[in-house]
Short mmCIF file of all heavy atoms in Angstrom, two decimals:
data_model
loop_
_atom_site.label_atom_id
_atom_site.label_comp_id
_atom_site.label_asym_id
_atom_site.label_seq_id
_atom_site.Cartn_x
_atom_site.Cartn_y
_atom_site.Cartn_z
N LYS T 217 -3.61 -22.15 2.24
CA LYS T 217 -3.76 -21.53 3.55
C LYS T 217 -2.63 -20.54 3.82
O LYS T 217 -2.86 -19.42 4.29
CB LYS T 217 -3.77 -22.62 4.64
CG LYS T 217 -5.13 -23.22 4.92
CD LYS T 217 -5.98 -22.25 5.73
CE LYS T 217 -7.34 -22.83 6.06
NZ LYS T 217 -8.16 -21.86 6.82
N ILE T 218 -1.40 -20.96 3.52
CA ILE T 218 -0.24 -20.09 3.76
C ILE T 218 -0.28 -18.87 2.84
O ILE T 218 -0.01 -17.74 3.27
CB ILE T 218 1.07 -20.89 3.59
CG1 ILE T 218 1.16 -21.96 4.68
CG2 ILE T 218 2.28 -19.97 3.64
CD1 ILE T 218 2.35 -22.88 4.54
N LYS T 219 -0.62 -19.08 1.56
CA LYS T 219 -0.72 -17.95 0.63
C LYS T 219 -1.80 -16.97 1.06
O LYS T 219 -1.63 -15.76 0.96
CB LYS T 219 -1.01 -18.46 -0.78
CG LYS T 219 0.18 -19.11 -1.47
CD LYS T 219 -0.18 -19.61 -2.85
CE LYS T 219 1.02 -20.27 -3.52
NZ LYS T 219 0.67 -20.81 -4.86
N LYS T 220 -2.91 -17.53 1.55
CA LYS T 220 -4.00 -16.67 2.02
C LYS T 220 -3.55 -15.82 3.20
O LYS T 220 -3.88 -14.63 3.29
CB LYS T 220 -5.18 -17.55 2.43
CG LYS T 220 -6.36 -16.79 3.01
CD LYS T 220 -7.44 -17.74 3.51
CE LYS T 220 -8.54 -16.98 4.24
NZ LYS T 220 -9.53 -17.90 4.84
N ALA T 221 -2.76 -16.43 4.10
CA ALA T 221 -2.29 -15.70 5.27
C ALA T 221 -1.33 -14.58 4.89
O ALA T 221 -1.32 -13.52 5.52
CB ALA T 221 -1.60 -16.66 6.24
N LEU T 222 -0.53 -14.80 3.85
CA LEU T 222 0.47 -13.81 3.45
C LEU T 222 -0.08 -12.76 2.49
O LEU T 222 0.46 -11.66 2.41
CB LEU T 222 1.67 -14.52 2.80
CG LEU T 222 2.47 -15.47 3.69
CD1 LEU T 222 3.56 -16.16 2.88
CD2 LEU T 222 3.07 -14.73 4.86
N PHE T 223 -1.15 -13.10 1.76
CA PHE T 223 -1.65 -12.19 0.74
C PHE T 223 -2.21 -10.90 1.34
O PHE T 223 -1.91 -9.80 0.85
CB PHE T 223 -2.73 -12.88 -0.09
CG PHE T 223 -3.38 -11.98 -1.11
CD1 PHE T 223 -2.72 -11.67 -2.29
CD2 PHE T 223 -4.62 -11.41 -0.89
CE1 PHE T 223 -3.30 -10.82 -3.23
CE2 PHE T 223 -5.21 -10.56 -1.80
CZ PHE T 223 -4.54 -10.27 -2.98
N TYR T 224 -3.02 -11.04 2.37
CA TYR T 224 -3.70 -9.85 2.93
C TYR T 224 -2.70 -8.81 3.43
O TYR T 224 -2.77 -7.63 3.04
CB TYR T 224 -4.67 -10.26 4.03
CG TYR T 224 -5.34 -9.10 4.70
CD1 TYR T 224 -6.33 -8.37 4.05
CD2 TYR T 224 -4.96 -8.68 5.98
CE1 TYR T 224 -6.94 -7.28 4.65
CE2 TYR T 224 -5.57 -7.60 6.59
CZ TYR T 224 -6.55 -6.91 5.92
OH TYR T 224 -7.14 -5.83 6.52
N PRO T 225 -1.74 -9.19 4.31
CA PRO T 225 -0.79 -8.15 4.75
C PRO T 225 0.04 -7.58 3.62
O PRO T 225 0.33 -6.38 3.60
CB PRO T 225 0.09 -8.90 5.77
CG PRO T 225 -0.15 -10.34 5.54
CD PRO T 225 -1.52 -10.46 5.01
N ALA T 226 0.43 -8.43 2.65
CA ALA T 226 1.22 -7.94 1.52
C ALA T 226 0.41 -6.93 0.71
O ALA T 226 0.93 -5.87 0.31
CB ALA T 226 1.65 -9.10 0.64
N ALA T 227 -0.87 -7.24 0.47
CA ALA T 227 -1.72 -6.33 -0.31
C ALA T 227 -1.91 -5.00 0.41
O ALA T 227 -1.84 -3.93 -0.21
CB ALA T 227 -3.08 -7.00 -0.57
N VAL T 228 -2.14 -5.05 1.72
CA VAL T 228 -2.34 -3.81 2.48
C VAL T 228 -1.07 -2.97 2.49
O VAL T 228 -1.13 -1.73 2.35
CB VAL T 228 -2.79 -4.14 3.93
CG1 VAL T 228 -2.83 -2.88 4.78
CG2 VAL T 228 -4.17 -4.79 3.92
N LEU T 229 0.08 -3.60 2.64
CA LEU T 229 1.34 -2.85 2.65
C LEU T 229 1.62 -2.21 1.29
O LEU T 229 2.13 -1.08 1.22
CB LEU T 229 2.49 -3.77 3.05
CG LEU T 229 2.52 -4.21 4.52
CD1 LEU T 229 3.64 -5.21 4.77
CD2 LEU T 229 2.67 -3.00 5.44
N VAL T 230 1.29 -2.92 0.22
CA VAL T 230 1.46 -2.35 -1.13
C VAL T 230 0.56 -1.13 -1.30
O VAL T 230 0.99 -0.08 -1.82
CB VAL T 230 1.17 -3.41 -2.21
CG1 VAL T 230 1.05 -2.76 -3.59
CG2 VAL T 230 2.25 -4.46 -2.23
N VAL T 231 -0.69 -1.26 -0.86
CA VAL T 231 -1.62 -0.12 -0.94
C VAL T 231 -1.10 1.04 -0.11
O VAL T 231 -1.16 2.21 -0.53
CB VAL T 231 -3.03 -0.55 -0.47
CG1 VAL T 231 -3.93 0.66 -0.32
CG2 VAL T 231 -3.64 -1.54 -1.45
N ALA T 232 -0.57 0.75 1.08
CA ALA T 232 -0.02 1.81 1.94
C ALA T 232 1.13 2.53 1.26
O ALA T 232 1.24 3.77 1.33
CB ALA T 232 0.44 1.21 3.27
N MET T 233 2.00 1.78 0.59
CA MET T 233 3.13 2.40 -0.11
C MET T 233 2.65 3.26 -1.27
O MET T 233 3.18 4.37 -1.49
CB MET T 233 4.07 1.30 -0.63
CG MET T 233 4.82 0.56 0.47
SD MET T 233 5.76 -0.86 -0.15
CE MET T 233 6.93 -0.06 -1.22
N ILE T 234 1.63 2.79 -2.00
CA ILE T 234 1.10 3.58 -3.12
C ILE T 234 0.46 4.88 -2.62
O ILE T 234 0.70 5.96 -3.17
CB ILE T 234 0.08 2.74 -3.92
CG1 ILE T 234 0.79 1.57 -4.62
CG2 ILE T 234 -0.66 3.61 -4.94
CD1 ILE T 234 -0.15 0.59 -5.29
N VAL T 235 -0.34 4.77 -1.55
CA VAL T 235 -0.99 5.96 -0.99
C VAL T 235 0.05 6.95 -0.48
O VAL T 235 -0.05 8.17 -0.71
CB VAL T 235 -1.96 5.55 0.15
CG1 VAL T 235 -2.45 6.78 0.91
CG2 VAL T 235 -3.14 4.77 -0.41
N THR T 236 1.08 6.43 0.21
CA THR T 236 2.15 7.30 0.71
C THR T 236 2.87 8.01 -0.43
O THR T 236 3.16 9.21 -0.36
CB THR T 236 3.16 6.48 1.54
OG1 THR T 236 2.47 5.81 2.60
CG2 THR T 236 4.24 7.36 2.11
N ALA T 237 3.16 7.27 -1.52
CA ALA T 237 3.83 7.87 -2.68
C ALA T 237 2.98 8.97 -3.31
O ALA T 237 3.49 10.03 -3.68
CB ALA T 237 4.16 6.79 -3.71
N ILE T 238 1.67 8.72 -3.41
CA ILE T 238 0.77 9.74 -3.99
C ILE T 238 0.76 10.99 -3.13
O ILE T 238 0.82 12.13 -3.65
CB ILE T 238 -0.66 9.15 -4.14
CG1 ILE T 238 -0.68 8.08 -5.23
CG2 ILE T 238 -1.67 10.25 -4.46
CD1 ILE T 238 -1.98 7.33 -5.33
N LEU T 239 0.70 10.81 -1.82
CA LEU T 239 0.71 11.97 -0.92
C LEU T 239 2.01 12.75 -1.04
O LEU T 239 2.01 13.99 -1.09
CB LEU T 239 0.51 11.51 0.53
CG LEU T 239 -0.89 10.99 0.90
CD1 LEU T 239 -0.89 10.43 2.32
CD2 LEU T 239 -1.93 12.09 0.78
N LEU T 240 3.14 12.04 -1.09
CA LEU T 240 4.44 12.70 -1.16
C LEU T 240 4.65 13.42 -2.49
O LEU T 240 5.26 14.51 -2.53
CB LEU T 240 5.57 11.68 -0.95
CG LEU T 240 5.72 11.11 0.46
CD1 LEU T 240 6.74 9.98 0.47
CD2 LEU T 240 6.15 12.20 1.45
N ILE T 241 4.16 12.85 -3.58
CA ILE T 241 4.44 13.42 -4.91
C ILE T 241 3.43 14.50 -5.31
O ILE T 241 3.81 15.52 -5.90
CB ILE T 241 4.45 12.29 -5.97
CG1 ILE T 241 5.61 11.32 -5.69
CG2 ILE T 241 4.56 12.86 -7.37
CD1 ILE T 241 5.60 10.07 -6.53
N PHE T 242 2.15 14.33 -4.96
CA PHE T 242 1.12 15.23 -5.47
C PHE T 242 0.49 16.14 -4.40
O PHE T 242 0.17 17.30 -4.70
CB PHE T 242 0.01 14.42 -6.15
CG PHE T 242 0.48 13.61 -7.32
CD1 PHE T 242 0.61 12.24 -7.23
CD2 PHE T 242 0.81 14.23 -8.52
CE1 PHE T 242 1.05 11.49 -8.30
CE2 PHE T 242 1.25 13.49 -9.61
CZ PHE T 242 1.38 12.11 -9.50
N VAL T 243 0.30 15.65 -3.21
CA VAL T 243 -0.45 16.41 -2.20
C VAL T 243 0.46 17.35 -1.41
O VAL T 243 0.17 18.54 -1.25
CB VAL T 243 -1.19 15.45 -1.24
CG1 VAL T 243 -1.92 16.24 -0.15
CG2 VAL T 243 -2.17 14.58 -2.02
N ILE T 244 1.57 16.82 -0.90
CA ILE T 244 2.44 17.62 -0.03
C ILE T 244 3.03 18.84 -0.76
O ILE T 244 3.15 19.92 -0.15
CB ILE T 244 3.54 16.73 0.58
CG1 ILE T 244 2.89 15.78 1.60
CG2 ILE T 244 4.65 17.55 1.24
CD1 ILE T 244 3.81 14.78 2.21
N PRO T 245 3.39 18.76 -2.07
CA PRO T 245 3.86 19.98 -2.75
C PRO T 245 2.84 21.12 -2.72
O PRO T 245 3.22 22.30 -2.69
CB PRO T 245 4.11 19.49 -4.18
CG PRO T 245 4.44 18.05 -4.04
CD PRO T 245 3.58 17.57 -2.92
N GLN T 246 1.54 20.79 -2.75
CA GLN T 246 0.52 21.85 -2.66
C GLN T 246 0.57 22.55 -1.32
O GLN T 246 0.46 23.78 -1.23
CB GLN T 246 -0.87 21.23 -2.88
CG GLN T 246 -1.03 20.47 -4.20
CD GLN T 246 -0.77 21.36 -5.40
OE1 GLN T 246 -1.17 22.53 -5.44
NE2 GLN T 246 -0.07 20.81 -6.40
#
């Protein structure tokens, strides 16, 4: 139960960091 509660926010934050890094490295220079 505790792992389930922590997994979702952790997964979303990781995805947010990856998306932000992609935007900063590849999109914004264009």
Side-chain angles (χ1 to χ4, degrees):
K217 274 285 182 181
I218 294 175
K219 286 179 181 178
K220 177 186 173 185
L222 296 176
F223 176 77
Y224 177 73
V228 173
L229 289 176
V230 168
V231 170
M233 291 173 63
I234 293 173
V235 170
T236 303
I238 291 173
L239 289 174
L240 289 172
I241 295 171
F242 299 106
V243 177
I244 290 176
Q246 303 301 320

